[in-house]
Amino acid sequence: YPNPTKGVITIDNEFKGAVVSISIVDNMGRLVYNKSVPRSSSVSIDVSNLTRGTYYLTAIDGTSQLGASFIID
C-alpha cells in the first residue's frame, strides 16, 4: 500500500524466514529493484525514482512467496 502510489510502498508481511528477498520488475520485464532485507512486520520501499506505470513485486523468504502489482501514478 498505497496503490496507486507516487513515493513509498509498504509491504506488511507474515514471512517466517529471517531474510526476505524483494524484486520489482517493470511492465517490460526489466528488473528495477532487488534487495534482501531482514524480516520485519513491514518493509517500506522508495519508488519515487521510477516512472509512471505498472510494476510487479515479488517477495520470497525461502518458504513463502508473495506476488503483487502496483501502479505509480
Side-chain angles (χ1 to χ4, degrees):
Y1 64 83
N3 191 8
T5 188
K6 291 184 182 191
V8 175
I9 58 170
T10 301
I11 305 164
D12 287 334
N13 69 61
E14 301 292 326
F15 292 105
K16 295 176 177 45
V19 176
V20 179
S21 175
I22 300 172
S23 300
I24 299 174
V25 297
D26 66 13
N27 207 25
M28 300 296 289
R30 295 177 290 220
L31 183 66
V32 296
Y33 180 91
N34 189 30
K35 187 173 183 180
S36 293
V37 297
R39 181 185 65 143
S40 65
S41 60
S42 66
V43 176
S44 294
I45 303 170
D46 182 359
V47 294
S48 62
N49 63 326
L50 300 177
T51 59
R52 293 175 65 164
T54 302
Y55 292 84
Y56 304 94
L57 179 142
T58 303
I60 303 170
D61 77 348
T63 60
S64 303
Q65 181 171 335
L66 164 86
S69 63
F70 65 95
I71 297 170
I72 296 179
D73 188 22

